[in-house]
Amino acid sequence: MTEPLLQTRAICKSFGALQASKDVTLDLRPGEIHALIGPNGAGKSTLIAQISGALSPDSGQVIFDGRDVTALSTTARARAGLGRTFQISALPMEFTVLQNVVLGALGQRGRAFRFFGNVMRDKALLARAEDALEQVGLAEFRSFVTAELSHGQRRQLEVAVALTLSPKAFLMDEP
Ligand SMILES: Nc1ncnc2c1ncn2[C@@H]1O[C@H](COP(=O)(O)OP(=O)(O)OP(=O)(O)O)[C@@H](O)[C@H]1O
Ligand SMILES: [Mg+2]
């Protein structure tokens, strides 16, 4: 059997007296799709946060692509190929669809900051962004302001932003 791309080993996380994750062990192999289901407050977002690095587990490990990433930041994990989308969208609403995706593509390159005008003329970034928009079916909305999109389209846009990282594994919180 192929080696898992992503593993959690006995992850535990408590908030005071509330244990949100208890010994969560899972394997994700290349090409697999898993859904995590549970009622409100079951601990789904908390688990995703620990896998992506936004929260540290109290104990246990996250192994990604052959290495222990438990101590790595969200940025380092994203650069290593762990993509994610959020339960509550964090996209700047005043930017156009294309601008939002280009910003995502910029993060993949690891540039700290460049003026937006220059970024939007960068052919390689634009190509990567257009490709991601094509993949999620939003190409024709590229010039729309993000606020004009429906809720569902914003979720698609989040996926496009994450795809610019060419993730090896992809976590979606309530897509
Ligand atoms: N930062 C925090 N501090 C304290 N308690 C928290 C924190 N984050 C989550 N919790 C609690 O941990 C439990 C799990 O929450 P979590 O958001 O992971 O659930 P969920 O399965 O994603 O729920 P939903 O379906 O509503 O998104 C809940 O009881 C929640 O109130
Ligand atoms: Mg949640």
Side-chain angles (χ1 to χ4, degrees):
M1 201 159 29
T2 37
E3 281 298 300
L5 175 61
L6 175 69
Q7 285 178 287
T8 67
R9 291 191 190 143
I11 279 187
C12 295
K13 182 73 190 176
S14 293
F15 301 108
L18 179 96
Q19 188 163 31
S21 301
K22 184 179 180 186
D23 287 332
V24 182
T25 294
L26 61 84
D27 284 353
L28 177 85
R29 293 192 158 72
E32 286 182 348
I33 299 172
H34 290 269
L36 181 64
I37 60 171
N40 293 140
K44 304 176 296 292
S45 294
T46 302
L47 180 63
I48 288 180
Q50 291 170 92
I51 295 172
S52 62
L55 280 177
S56 300
D58 299 329
S59 58
Q61 291 164 299
V62 180
I63 317 288
F64 179 61
D65 205 14
R67 87 181 148 133
D68 188 333
V69 297
T70 318
L72 294 189
S73 67
T74 46
T75 313
R77 292 185 210 198
R79 296 229 171 94
L82 191 52
R84 72 159 300 182
T85 62
F86 294 88
Q87 181 166 350
I88 297 168
S89 178
L91 295 168
M93 288 294 146
E94 67 279 19
F95 286 7
T96 67
V97 167
L98 184 64
Q99 283 172 333
N100 261 313
V101 188
V102 166
L103 271 184
L106 188 62
Q108 199 263 351
R109 276 202 200 163
R111 300 276 168 87
F113 180 78
R114 283 160 65 193
F115 286 105
F116 220 28
N118 297 338
V119 169
M120 294 308 291
R121 282 193 291 271
D122 185 318
K123 289 207 172 63
L125 284 179
L126 280 171
R128 186 179 274 271
E130 306 258 13
D131 193 45
L133 283 176
E134 197 76 51
Q135 281 187 65
V136 303
L138 280 183
E140 64 194 280
F141 296 93
R142 63 202 289 285
S143 304
F144 279 51
V145 173
T146 301
E148 294 174 322
L149 297 184
S150 69
H151 177 72
Q153 289 171 325
R154 285 180 207 162
R155 302 323 304 243
Q156 286 170 270
L157 178 54
E158 285 205 28
V159 173
V161 171
L163 284 179
T164 61
L165 294 168
S166 305
K168 294 175 185 156
F170 197 15
L171 306 163
M172 289 187 272
D173 196 350
E174 306 219 1

